[in-house]
Amino acid sequence: MEENIILRNFFRLMKSGAFDDKSEIEPMSPYKWRRLYAMAEAQKVVHIFARGANHHFHDDGLNIPEDVVDSAREYMDAHPTPPLPKATQPLPDIVMSNGMLNRRFHNIVKKERHAIDTSIESLLLLQIIATNVDAMLNRGMSLDGIIRLGQFLRTTGDKVDFVKIDTWLVRLHIVRMAELQGNILIEVFGFEQDEIPFVHRLDREAYNITVRSVSFVAKDTAEEWHFRQSRTGFVQNNSRILRRNLRRSMRYFVYAPIETTSNFFTGIGRSLSEIEE
C-alpha cells in the first residue's frame, strides 16, 4: 500500500540518520517523497531525515525531488538542532502538569544535585523522559524526543544509575510512560530491551501509537485554540481541538492517569485564561 512504503522508508531513514542503521530504501515517486518529507517536518526530525538521506546518497533509485532537498536545507538553516539538556541548567518552574508531581520532580533534582553520590547522567535521562511526557500529552508523539532518548542511551547509558531512575519514575507516576518511550525505541528503531533497563515489560501497541502520530501531518496550528470570545461577548469553544485533545488524553490515560488528567484540565484552564476580557 502507498502509505506503507512511505512509512517503511520514513522509519528506515530515521534509523539511518539517528543510529547509523543502513537499511534499503525503496524507490518512490516524487509525490511520495513529498509526503515523507511532510512527516519529517511535522515531527521536527528534518535533520535526521537529511542525515539518513546522505547515507543513501549513492543508492540506485533514490530519486528525492530537488524541491524536497531545498526545503530540507531551508528548514535546517532556520531551525538549528537544539542541544541536549544539561543537568546543571535552571529548570522551568513547571515541568509536569500535576502540581504535586511537579514539586516532586524539582525536589528530586535538587536533592540529587547535592547528593554525595550525585549522578548527573541520571538527572539528564530523567529530564529527557519528562520532556517527552510533556510533549506526548500536549502535542502527540515527539519522535524527535524519542530519538534523542535513544541517542542518549546509546552514548551515555552506561553512566546512568538505573536504580535511581526506577525509583524516580515510581515517585512521579510515569513508569508506564517511560516504558512506552522505551518500547518505541524497541519496536520502531530496533533497540534491544537490555539497552533500556527501565523497560520491564514489552508493549506492542507502541508501534501503532507511533504510526498514528507520524501519519498525521496536517498542520493546523492556526486553529490551535480551545476557547475564545466572540464579538458578541459569548465564549466559543473549538470542538475539533477539544475532541482531538480528549482522544489523546484517553490514549495515554492508562500510561499516566494522574499526569494525563491534570494536563487535560490545565490546558483547558490555560485557554480560558487567555480569553480577551
Side-chain angles (χ1 to χ4, degrees), residues 190-209:
F191 274 58
E192 298 294 333
Q193 187 174 355
D194 60 10
E195 293 183 86
I196 318 172
F198 57 83
V199 172
H200 302 289
R201 53 182 171 180
L202 297 177
D203 182 357
R204 302 303 179 191
E205 184 62 18
Y207 180 82
N208 294 329
I209 290 175

mmCIF file of all heavy atoms in Angstrom, residues 190-209:
data_model
loop_
_atom_site.group_PDB
_atom_site.id
_atom_site.type_symbol
_atom_site.label_atom_id
_atom_site.label_comp_id
_atom_site.label_asym_id
_atom_site.label_seq_id
_atom_site.Cartn_x
_atom_site.Cartn_y
_atom_site.Cartn_z
ATOM 1 N N GLY A 190 14.581 -0.685 16.595
ATOM 2 C CA GLY A 190 15.380 -1.898 16.685
ATOM 3 C C GLY A 190 16.283 -2.016 17.892
ATOM 4 O O GLY A 190 17.255 -2.785 17.874
ATOM 5 N N PHE A 191 15.992 -1.279 18.963
ATOM 6 C CA PHE A 191 16.778 -1.415 20.193
ATOM 7 C C PHE A 191 16.498 -2.762 20.843
ATOM 8 O O PHE A 191 15.430 -3.347 20.664
ATOM 9 C CB PHE A 191 16.409 -0.301 21.179
ATOM 10 C CG PHE A 191 17.166 0.985 20.979
ATOM 11 C CD1 PHE A 191 17.123 1.656 19.764
ATOM 12 C CD2 PHE A 191 17.917 1.535 22.010
ATOM 13 C CE1 PHE A 191 17.815 2.845 19.572
ATOM 14 C CE2 PHE A 191 18.611 2.720 21.831
ATOM 15 C CZ PHE A 191 18.566 3.377 20.620
ATOM 16 N N GLU A 192 17.461 -3.238 21.608
ATOM 17 C CA GLU A 192 17.266 -4.429 22.433
ATOM 18 C C GLU A 192 16.745 -4.005 23.800
ATOM 19 O O GLU A 192 17.093 -2.929 24.299
ATOM 20 C CB GLU A 192 18.579 -5.200 22.591
ATOM 21 C CG GLU A 192 19.168 -5.722 21.295
ATOM 22 C CD GLU A 192 18.309 -6.793 20.650
ATOM 23 O OE1 GLU A 192 17.567 -7.479 21.398
ATOM 24 O OE2 GLU A 192 18.373 -6.941 19.416
ATOM 25 N N GLN A 193 15.941 -4.846 24.413
ATOM 26 C CA GLN A 193 15.352 -4.477 25.701
ATOM 27 C C GLN A 193 16.426 -4.237 26.759
ATOM 28 O O GLN A 193 16.266 -3.366 27.624
ATOM 29 C CB GLN A 193 14.376 -5.556 26.180
ATOM 30 C CG GLN A 193 13.594 -5.148 27.434
ATOM 31 C CD GLN A 193 12.533 -6.163 27.810
ATOM 32 O OE1 GLN A 193 12.298 -7.140 27.095
ATOM 33 N NE2 GLN A 193 11.873 -5.944 28.946
ATOM 34 N N ASP A 194 17.528 -4.969 26.703
ATOM 35 C CA ASP A 194 18.561 -4.783 27.720
ATOM 36 C C ASP A 194 19.314 -3.471 27.567
ATOM 37 O O ASP A 194 20.104 -3.092 28.434
ATOM 38 C CB ASP A 194 19.540 -5.963 27.748
ATOM 39 C CG ASP A 194 20.266 -6.161 26.421
ATOM 40 O OD1 ASP A 194 20.169 -5.273 25.532
ATOM 41 O OD2 ASP A 194 20.934 -7.195 26.258
ATOM 42 N N GLU A 195 19.092 -2.744 26.455
ATOM 43 C CA GLU A 195 19.669 -1.415 26.302
ATOM 44 C C GLU A 195 18.870 -0.365 27.062
ATOM 45 O O GLU A 195 19.346 0.754 27.254
ATOM 46 C CB GLU A 195 19.700 -1.008 24.816
ATOM 47 C CG GLU A 195 20.630 -1.802 23.931
ATOM 48 C CD GLU A 195 20.641 -1.268 22.512
ATOM 49 O OE1 GLU A 195 21.434 -0.333 22.251
ATOM 50 O OE2 GLU A 195 19.860 -1.749 21.675
ATOM 51 N N ILE A 196 17.663 -0.741 27.496
ATOM 52 C CA ILE A 196 16.762 0.216 28.148
ATOM 53 C C ILE A 196 16.293 -0.404 29.460
ATOM 54 O O ILE A 196 15.182 -0.949 29.551
ATOM 55 C CB ILE A 196 15.555 0.539 27.238
ATOM 56 C CG1 ILE A 196 16.014 0.724 25.786
ATOM 57 C CG2 ILE A 196 14.823 1.794 27.733
ATOM 58 C CD1 ILE A 196 14.890 0.849 24.791
ATOM 59 N N PRO A 197 17.115 -0.347 30.508
ATOM 60 C CA PRO A 197 16.805 -1.053 31.756
ATOM 61 C C PRO A 197 15.504 -0.646 32.434
ATOM 62 O O PRO A 197 14.977 -1.410 33.255
ATOM 63 C CB PRO A 197 18.017 -0.709 32.647
ATOM 64 C CG PRO A 197 19.122 -0.450 31.688
ATOM 65 C CD PRO A 197 18.471 0.239 30.530
ATOM 66 N N PHE A 198 14.958 0.546 32.115
ATOM 67 C CA PHE A 198 13.695 0.927 32.766
ATOM 68 C C PHE A 198 12.475 0.346 32.048
ATOM 69 O O PHE A 198 11.341 0.572 32.478
ATOM 70 C CB PHE A 198 13.574 2.451 32.890
ATOM 71 C CG PHE A 198 13.676 3.220 31.600
ATOM 72 C CD1 PHE A 198 12.567 3.368 30.775
ATOM 73 C CD2 PHE A 198 14.872 3.802 31.221
ATOM 74 C CE1 PHE A 198 12.654 4.080 29.594
ATOM 75 C CE2 PHE A 198 14.968 4.530 30.035
ATOM 76 C CZ PHE A 198 13.851 4.664 29.214
ATOM 77 N N VAL A 199 12.690 -0.387 30.964
ATOM 78 C CA VAL A 199 11.593 -1.107 30.307
ATOM 79 C C VAL A 199 11.540 -2.513 30.886
ATOM 80 O O VAL A 199 12.405 -3.343 30.618
ATOM 81 C CB VAL A 199 11.782 -1.169 28.773
ATOM 82 C CG1 VAL A 199 10.742 -2.088 28.141
ATOM 83 C CG2 VAL A 199 11.683 0.222 28.174
ATOM 84 N N HIS A 200 10.517 -2.764 31.689
ATOM 85 C CA HIS A 200 10.381 -4.065 32.353
ATOM 86 C C HIS A 200 9.363 -4.969 31.659
ATOM 87 O O HIS A 200 9.279 -6.157 31.957
ATOM 88 C CB HIS A 200 9.999 -3.863 33.818
ATOM 89 C CG HIS A 200 10.989 -3.024 34.574
ATOM 90 N ND1 HIS A 200 12.248 -3.471 34.919
ATOM 91 C CD2 HIS A 200 10.906 -1.744 35.028
ATOM 92 C CE1 HIS A 200 12.903 -2.510 35.561
ATOM 93 N NE2 HIS A 200 12.109 -1.453 35.646
ATOM 94 N N ARG A 201 8.553 -4.375 30.774
ATOM 95 C CA ARG A 201 7.605 -5.189 30.015
ATOM 96 C C ARG A 201 7.430 -4.577 28.632
ATOM 97 O O ARG A 201 7.468 -3.363 28.451
ATOM 98 C CB ARG A 201 6.252 -5.287 30.724
ATOM 99 C CG ARG A 201 5.629 -3.954 31.099
ATOM 100 C CD ARG A 201 4.323 -4.168 31.834
ATOM 101 N NE ARG A 201 3.822 -2.915 32.384
ATOM 102 C CZ ARG A 201 2.695 -2.822 33.083
ATOM 103 N NH1 ARG A 201 1.975 -3.894 33.305
ATOM 104 N NH2 ARG A 201 2.295 -1.656 33.555
ATOM 105 N N LEU A 202 7.243 -5.458 27.651
ATOM 106 C CA LEU A 202 7.097 -5.017 26.274
ATOM 107 C C LEU A 202 5.661 -4.574 26.001
ATOM 108 O O LEU A 202 4.720 -5.066 26.612
ATOM 109 C CB LEU A 202 7.497 -6.139 25.317
ATOM 110 C CG LEU A 202 8.964 -6.590 25.405
ATOM 111 C CD1 LEU A 202 9.216 -7.761 24.457
ATOM 112 C CD2 LEU A 202 9.907 -5.432 25.078
ATOM 113 N N ASP A 203 5.523 -3.625 25.085
ATOM 114 C CA ASP A 203 4.221 -3.063 24.740
ATOM 115 C C ASP A 203 4.125 -2.986 23.221
ATOM 116 O O ASP A 203 4.681 -2.080 22.600
ATOM 117 C CB ASP A 203 4.073 -1.665 25.371
ATOM 118 C CG ASP A 203 2.711 -1.041 25.101
ATOM 119 O OD1 ASP A 203 1.905 -1.648 24.379
ATOM 120 O OD2 ASP A 203 2.458 0.071 25.622
ATOM 121 N N ARG A 204 3.434 -3.939 22.618
ATOM 122 C CA ARG A 204 3.325 -3.996 21.157
ATOM 123 C C ARG A 204 2.501 -2.834 20.608
ATOM 124 O O ARG A 204 2.571 -2.533 19.415
ATOM 125 C CB ARG A 204 2.691 -5.325 20.731
ATOM 126 C CG ARG A 204 3.450 -6.552 21.200
ATOM 127 C CD ARG A 204 4.904 -6.540 20.723
ATOM 128 N NE ARG A 204 5.638 -7.712 21.188
ATOM 129 C CZ ARG A 204 6.945 -7.854 21.092
ATOM 130 N NH1 ARG A 204 7.673 -6.895 20.551
ATOM 131 N NH2 ARG A 204 7.540 -8.941 21.545
ATOM 132 N N GLU A 205 1.726 -2.173 21.453
ATOM 133 C CA GLU A 205 0.927 -1.037 20.996
ATOM 134 C C GLU A 205 1.803 0.172 20.677
ATOM 135 O O GLU A 205 1.359 1.114 20.016
ATOM 136 C CB GLU A 205 -0.109 -0.673 22.077
ATOM 137 C CG GLU A 205 -1.079 0.440 21.703
ATOM 138 C CD GLU A 205 -1.961 0.099 20.508
ATOM 139 O OE1 GLU A 205 -2.077 -1.098 20.168
ATOM 140 O OE2 GLU A 205 -2.533 1.039 19.923
ATOM 141 N N ALA A 206 3.056 0.140 21.131
ATOM 142 C CA ALA A 206 3.959 1.276 20.908
ATOM 143 C C ALA A 206 4.114 1.583 19.426
ATOM 144 O O ALA A 206 4.152 2.751 19.028
ATOM 145 C CB ALA A 206 5.322 0.981 21.537
ATOM 146 N N TYR A 207 4.185 0.558 18.596
ATOM 147 C CA TYR A 207 4.355 0.785 17.157
ATOM 148 C C TYR A 207 3.130 1.470 16.576
ATOM 149 O O TYR A 207 3.242 2.432 15.796
ATOM 150 C CB TYR A 207 4.615 -0.534 16.441
ATOM 151 C CG TYR A 207 4.792 -0.372 14.944
ATOM 152 C CD1 TYR A 207 6.013 0.021 14.410
ATOM 153 C CD2 TYR A 207 3.725 -0.600 14.066
ATOM 154 C CE1 TYR A 207 6.182 0.197 13.038
ATOM 155 C CE2 TYR A 207 3.889 -0.432 12.699
ATOM 156 C CZ TYR A 207 5.112 -0.033 12.194
ATOM 157 O OH TYR A 207 5.265 0.140 10.848
ATOM 158 N N ASN A 208 1.936 1.002 16.952
ATOM 159 C CA ASN A 208 0.703 1.587 16.414
ATOM 160 C C ASN A 208 0.545 3.038 16.839
ATOM 161 O O ASN A 208 0.092 3.886 16.054
ATOM 162 C CB ASN A 208 -0.505 0.768 16.869
ATOM 163 C CG ASN A 208 -0.516 -0.632 16.288
ATOM 164 O OD1 ASN A 208 -0.035 -0.846 15.175
ATOM 165 N ND2 ASN A 208 -1.046 -1.586 17.024
ATOM 166 N N ILE A 209 0.906 3.350 18.078
ATOM 167 C CA ILE A 209 0.829 4.729 18.550
ATOM 168 C C ILE A 209 1.755 5.619 17.735
ATOM 169 O O ILE A 209 1.398 6.737 17.349
ATOM 170 C CB ILE A 209 1.187 4.803 20.049
ATOM 171 C CG1 ILE A 209 0.070 4.165 20.889
ATOM 172 C CG2 ILE A 209 1.429 6.246 20.497
ATOM 173 C CD1 ILE A 209 0.380 4.086 22.375
#
